[in-house]
């Protein structure tokens, strides 16, 4: 089954209104002043990583491509804009036929990034590019924040399995995107069925305390679960007394019991006790899954505990302290007139206050040291630095309005794991620090 | 125009997959064990407020009602569950005809809440109630977090206008829900067009630096904007030199210029300078809008500055440090058999580890002191405390599967403002503190 054939659980007929009003009013003013058709280059980048983070993770690019394809103003949306008097008639006519026809380059999804990295570059007329600002930033800022947290958790977990189970802690559709971003960052599965449906991410489930409480005894509950779901199921053992529950669980399911889940208490201590008890009962193959407000630090602190898998919710879907990135979408160059042959000139905000940017169309490459380890993010205006062409980071995503870089999510996930492995070893430290690569403007 | 007639910009044919897999596997096991039809009471509550917060804000209830109505398994979703072998055939048949037919009571949307407040109470068979856990929590945890931040910002802003402009900093659909929650919390408008479309929230827009940079000069850009959008528009004055920009702005638009926006620098200092300059130029009616990573503390620090409106993005949509709430959905009572006349028994998790809960169906009332100021959140099992019936907090939301409590968003917003005004004055302090009302179990 191809999940794309089934569409989204939430169908997305149009992404055009995921847009700040000023994008449309700027369009209107530019159409009137004759500047709307000036060729323009917009770039997405961050001025900084979240405090203490050593690298960023590009996630959401695939969703941006979906959003660009579905950015259409149908009659219902145009009626709304007209009735609310948000834009004038010429602008409504222009919007009715809107299709992005420009080019988009960017870091491939899953790559790591650093301050200044040109994560996405959108090129076309001012009018067609400016409209994409809000939705592109929504997606990249959200998804990259989740992927960065996931990547750190995946480092902390070593080779142990990570289950994304944060749906209940974030917006119901942000949850679907979070499961996708978590998978890119190294998670193995999700509890979110919509994410399984939409993105074919492996889904898993255990059981809740409610199921135990529904039954007249824990024994009844365990028997019901094993009868229905088989001995390979995961039984939740902390509703009443953990030791008693583990005994009952093995008594009912036998040593073939798949796993037990511990969701409260001192996980380090309880995991050791439960492992010992399982082993004594002969259930040496039964795995231990721990959950309960885990973050990358809690995961790391359980490295020596006999834990087989971590279920992570709240801290994952809230980006472990950094629920968004500070990516911006800035005009960096534009032509001097609406003539398509007119030359581009670099532009940049010049005011005081720290929000300046560097004009001109950027390229980027990652320079490696003699051992093949990344040592710098090199950014160049208008051309790739000589000698670094083979380490160029930007790829073509959209050409003349057509998406040219669709890829399976597993490829994105593998790219992330490889990109992270290419960083200096200090990238894996969970403690606060500086970005592990300096950004050099050449 | 009624936006509901136009539907969502993103159509929601079904919310049924915004669900953790274990809800469905628990259903399967309960169907097999004969416990699925036991009458059950689930409650949503929090064990604590986010650290230092003095009250919580219930938001998302209206969206939960939408989600319950749209919780349907159509053929596409059932095919997915079958192909992935997530549940067995009897469960698929049960899901195919799923319609929630129970009752839901809850705090009305916009109310304030405290630890232990029974924010939502869902009653029906175990099977029909357990399925709603994930999506109900997703919505309430997200929306209430945003509304709580918005409420604090609205207190900090005094009577000044607040514009929600965080769409680019969160998931594109979380942004729509955030604009809705912000409006409930006291914001006046949003930049998000989808929120205007879906919820009829007033939308506003200014201009971005890109618009100025697109033109050959700031003067050209301002003229283009005023020509197209009128003198009442808001000009962005910090692309180059602020004083020069303000001079140019008034030169072009005259003293009728609607507003100027400042998006960088020392906002307190710059706002004073710009106000003085505007006044000297005769533009005494021109307003000043400030933006740039504002939170409730930054808003409060500008109380003495000549600022007319605040635009808030990142910190609003990320809950100002608390992007989610810790609401849980717990089974608190269930019948002893599947017989509909069987009595309910209270149930609760008993294990060590701090995650215990109190069994039994709760009622809540807010006790007032002699001056009519709230002094306690009183929670009672199974009946309303005598003498507090007139201050009862729970209202009927769904009766026999039918939504009975739809209301306009403005009513919700007014309820919140009134509920907040009824709290002790210390609720308005931005500094960290304890919940302003104690929760008393009677």
């Amino acid at each position: 089954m191809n999940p794309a054939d089934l569409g989204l659980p939430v169908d997305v007929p149009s992404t055009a209104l995921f847009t700040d009003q000023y994008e449309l009013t700027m369009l209107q003013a530019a159409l009137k002043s004759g500047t709307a058709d000036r060729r323009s280059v917009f770039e997405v980048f961050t001025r900084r990583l979240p405090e203490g983070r050593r690298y960023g993770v590009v996630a959401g690019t695939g969703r941006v491509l979906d959003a660009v394809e579905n950015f259409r103003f149908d009659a219902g949306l145009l009626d709304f804009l007209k009735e609310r008097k948000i834009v004038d008639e010429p602008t409504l006519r222009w919007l009715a036929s809107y299709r992005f026809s420009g080019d988009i380059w960017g870091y491939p999804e899953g790559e790591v990034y650093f301050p200044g990295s040109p994560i996405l570059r959108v090129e076309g007329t001012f009018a067609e590019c400016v409209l994409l600002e809000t939705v592109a930033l929504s997606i990249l800022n959200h998804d990259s924040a989740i992927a960065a947290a996931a990547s750190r958790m995946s480092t902390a977990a070593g080779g142990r399995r990570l289950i994304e189970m944060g749906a209940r802690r974030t917006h119901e559709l942000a949850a679907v995107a979070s499961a996708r971003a978590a998978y890119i960052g190294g998670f193995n599965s999700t509890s979110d069925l919509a994410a399984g449906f939409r993105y074919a991410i492996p889904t898993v489930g255990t059981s809740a305390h409610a199921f135990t409480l529904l039954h007249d005894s824990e024994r009844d509950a365990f028997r019901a679960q094993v009868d229905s779901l088989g001995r390979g199921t995961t039984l939740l053992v902390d509703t009443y007394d953990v030791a008693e529950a583990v005994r009952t669980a093995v008594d009912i399911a036998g040593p073939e019991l798949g796993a037990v889940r511990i969701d409260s208490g001192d996980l380090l201590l309880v995991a050791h006790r439960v492992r010992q008890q399982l082993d004594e009962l002969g259930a040496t193959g039964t795995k231990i899954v721990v959950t309960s407000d885990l973050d990358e630090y809690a995961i790391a602190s359980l490295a020596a505990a006999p834990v087989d898998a971590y279920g992570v919710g709240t801290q994952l879907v809230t980006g472990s302290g950094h629920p968004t990135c500070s990516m911006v979408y800035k005009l960096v160059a534009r032509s001097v007139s609406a003539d398509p042959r007119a030359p581009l000139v670099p532009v940049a905000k010049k005011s005081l206050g720290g929000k300046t940017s560097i004009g001109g169309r950027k390229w980027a490459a990652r320079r490696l040291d003699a051992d093949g380890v990344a040592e710098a993010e090199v950014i160049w205006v208008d051309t790739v630095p000589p000698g670094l062409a083979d380490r160029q980071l930007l790829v073509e995503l959209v050409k003349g309005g057509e998406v040219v870089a669709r890829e399976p999510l597993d490829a994105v996930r593998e790219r992330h794991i490889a990109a992270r492995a290419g960083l200096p070893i200090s990238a894996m430290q969970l403690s606060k620090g500086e970005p592990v690569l300096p950004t050099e403007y050449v």
Side-chain angles (χ1 to χ4, degrees), chain A:
Chain A
M1 182 198 68
N2 176 0
D5 295 341
L6 296 171
L8 283 161
V10 169
D11 191 26
V12 181
S14 171
T15 52
L17 286 196
F18 299 137
T19 299
D20 287 324
Q21 178 160 315
Y22 78 177
E23 317 287 8
L24 298 197
T25 52
M26 286 192 283
L27 167 67
Q28 173 180 317
L31 286 171
K32 185 156 184 197
S33 77
T35 51
D37 284 337
R38 290 188 171 192
R39 195 150 58 89
S40 296
V41 181
F42 285 84
E43 285 176 357
V44 173
F45 63 94
T46 66
R47 297 190 179 94
R48 58 184 188 282
L49 297 181
E51 195 206 334
R53 290 283 177 85
R54 292 160 192 265
Y55 62 93
V57 180
V58 177
T61 314
R63 297 210 307 118
V64 169
L65 300 180
D66 293 342
V68 170
E69 279 188 339
N70 291 300
F71 206 98
R72 304 272 186 274
F73 293 86
D74 64 19
L77 304 194
L78 293 169
D79 285 350
F80 163 75
L81 297 174
K82 182 176 180 172
E83 243 179 283
R84 286 286 198 98
K85 298 186 173 52
I86 287 167
V87 288
D88 60 16
E89 284 291 341
T91 308
L92 290 171
R93 283 195 297 275
W94 191 94
L95 291 175
S97 61
Y98 177 76
R99 299 287 184 275
F100 181 72
S101 68
D103 303 320
I104 302 180
W105 288 68
Y107 276 39
E109 192 165 11
E111 243 317 337
V112 297
Y113 71 86
F114 297 90
S117 297
I119 291 159
L120 200 75
R121 200 175 66 213
V122 180
E123 192 163 341
T125 67
F126 175 81
E128 68 182 341
C129 295
V130 75
L131 291 187
L132 301 176
E133 176 178 24
T134 311
V135 72
L137 287 178
S138 290
I139 293 171
L140 293 171
N141 273 321
H142 174 269
D143 293 13
S144 298
I146 309 308
S151 179
R152 286 163 59 84
M153 291 169 181
S154 138
T155 295
R160 292 173 177 176
R161 295 182 72 78
L162 283 164
I163 308 163
E164 186 283 307
M165 39 174 66
R168 65 190 57 194
R169 298 293 178 202
T170 187
H171 182 278
E172 64 276 22
L173 272 151
V176 182
S178 292
R180 182 182 182 279
Y183 190 70
I184 292 171
F187 273 56
N188 302 92
S189 57
T190 178
S191 63
D192 190 299
L193 289 170
F197 182 77
R198 176 64 185 88
Y199 296 116
I201 299 166
T203 57
V204 298
T206 60
S207 187
H209 297 111
F211 186 78
T212 300
L213 296 172
L214 169 69
H215 290 80
D216 297 331
S217 69
E218 191 170 55
R219 177 169 291 270
D220 283 2
F222 287 181
R223 193 182 309 277
Q225 187 174 334
V226 171
D227 277 357
S228 176
L229 302 170
R231 294 170 192 274
T233 194
T234 300
L235 293 172
L236 177 62
V237 293
D238 70 342
T239 305
Y240 306 111
D241 178 77
V242 174
E244 178 65 32
V246 170
R247 203 152 37 235
T248 307
V250 178
D251 190 32
I252 288 169
E256 301 92 333
L257 176 61
V260 296
R261 176 161 80 104
I262 309 164
D263 183 47
S264 55
D266 179 334
L267 297 176
L268 181 65
L269 182 71
V270 178
H272 274 291
R273 283 193 189 150
V274 168
R275 181 74 270 157
Q276 187 180 353
Q277 190 185 2
L278 286 170
D279 290 348
E280 286 168 6
L281 294 167
T284 53
T286 300
K287 296 192 187 312
I288 296 177
V289 182
V290 295
T291 56
S292 191
D293 276 334
L294 297 177
D295 61 10
E296 61 267 46
Y297 305 102
I299 291 168
S301 76
L302 291 166
V307 165
D308 300 282
Y310 304 93
V312 189
T314 307
Q315 291 301 320
L316 175 75
V317 299
T318 58
S320 199
H322 299 293
T324 189
C325 305
S326 51
M327 291 183 195
V328 292
Y329 184 97
K330 292 293 172 188
L331 181 67
V332 296
R334 49 107 183 143
S335 62
V336 296
S337 75
D339 183 337
R341 294 157 308 178
L344 284 175
V345 291
V347 294
K349 179 176 182 299
K350 290 287 175 9
S351 184
L352 298 173
K355 285 191 179 178
T356 55
S357 49
I358 295 168
R361 186 206 277 122
K362 315 292 186 308
W363 292 91
R366 193 158 296 151
R367 199 175 66 226
L368 309 184
D369 68 13
D371 298 323
V373 178
E375 63 174 16
E377 198 82 339
V378 185
I379 298 174
W380 195 267
V381 176
D382 274 333
T383 178
V384 183
L388 287 174
D390 58 328
R391 296 293 305 155
Q392 188 177 316
L393 288 162
L394 278 80
V395 298
E396 193 166 33
L397 300 169
V398 175
K399 186 183 170 77
E402 295 300 316
V403 174
V404 295
R406 293 244 176 255
E407 55 186 350
L409 206 57
D410 281 315
V412 175
R413 187 171 184 273
E414 283 162 26
R415 177 181 298 120
H416 173 62
I417 291 165
R420 189 177 62 187
L423 295 176
I425 192 75
S426 58
M428 307 305 143
Q429 293 175 14
L430 298 179
S431 59
K432 287 187 178 180
E434 297 301 309
V436 289
L437 297 191
T439 303
E440 296 180 3
Y441 292 91
V442 191

